[in-house]
Amino acid sequence: MNVLFHTTTAIGVAVLLTNTSQLEKSHSLINRITTGIVAFTVGVISHGALDYIPHCYPVNSKIDVAIGLAMILVVTWLTHKRYQIIVGASFLGCIFPDIVDLSPAIINKQVGLHLPVLPKIFPWHWHAYSGSIYTGDCNVSTINHLLLLVVIFSICWYRQEDVKRMIR
């Protein structure tokens, strides 16, 4: 999946896991950190699920990374300080597998460095378990991308009071 779909998923994960009324009552940093750890973990798991399902890459990789990074920065900046640790952990979890497995090779290719490229750790990046489609028939991928967006929009709609409290 493109970074954009992973970062969009991170928004859904953060909203789904953040009970703002409960966190506002507790004023406890431990509760926010715990929610952040859960968000990171769910983010990594969601990354695996998204990479496992059949998918194409509808966005150019350079544009994808630039917009994905911009999305992370803007959404984290717009998030109320109380919830930034949760949102940040969700974003990090959703892109962490790509940072670990793919970034050295990408940096080498784009910048001309010679960073060591180690075997991939996350199984959904192994060819046998990857849902990447290389045949050019991306109809299933388009449906999967649209379903993902519908699910994330539905989460945000259903939890819109939490979304409103999370944004400054």
Side-chain angles (χ1 to χ4, degrees):
M1 284 272 172
N2 283 100
V3 172
L4 281 173
F5 291 101
H6 290 302
T7 53
T8 303
T9 301
I11 294 169
V13 168
V15 170
L16 185 65
L17 296 176
T18 305
N19 184 337
T20 56
S21 58
Q22 182 182 24
L23 290 173
E24 286 178 3
K25 288 177 189 173
S26 73
H27 297 291
S28 172
L29 180 60
I30 295 297
N31 290 341
R32 291 192 309 254
I33 290 172
T34 302
T35 305
I37 291 168
V38 172
F40 176 86
T41 304
V42 171
V44 171
I45 293 167
S46 73
H47 185 112
L50 292 176
D51 277 7
Y52 184 75
I53 63 172
H55 62 278
C56 292
Y57 297 90
V59 181
N60 173 283
S61 61
K62 289 180 183 178
I63 294 170
D64 175 50
V65 170
I67 294 173
L69 180 59
M71 180 190 289
I72 290 168
L73 295 173
V74 168
V75 171
T76 303
W77 178 72
L78 290 175
T79 300
H80 190 286
K81 187 176 181 176
R82 177 180 293 133
Y83 306 109
Q84 283 180 339
I85 192 167
I86 298 167
V87 171
S90 181
F91 277 126
L92 183 60
C94 285
I95 63 170
F96 184 75
D98 283 349
I99 292 170
V100 170
D101 281 349
L102 307 178
S103 63
I106 292 169
I107 291 169
N108 288 345
K109 180 180 177 185
Q110 297 300 324
V111 184
L113 294 179
H114 300 289
L115 299 173
V117 178
L118 303 172
K120 293 178 176 66
I121 295 171
F122 295 96
W124 50 82
H125 289 148
W126 304 344
H127 186 71
Y129 303 112
S130 173
S132 294
I133 298 172
Y134 298 106
T135 63
D137 182 10
C138 293
N139 292 331
V140 170
S141 174
T142 301
I143 292 169
N144 288 338
H145 284 114
L146 290 174
L147 286 172
L148 173 67
L149 295 175
V150 166
V151 167
I152 293 165
F153 178 79
S154 298
I155 290 168
C156 291
W157 179 260
Y158 180 74
R159 303 284 305 263
Q160 61 186 296
E161 291 305 314
D162 290 305
V163 171
K164 290 175 188 173
R165 286 189 208 115
M166 290 173 74
I167 297 172
R168 297 184 199 205

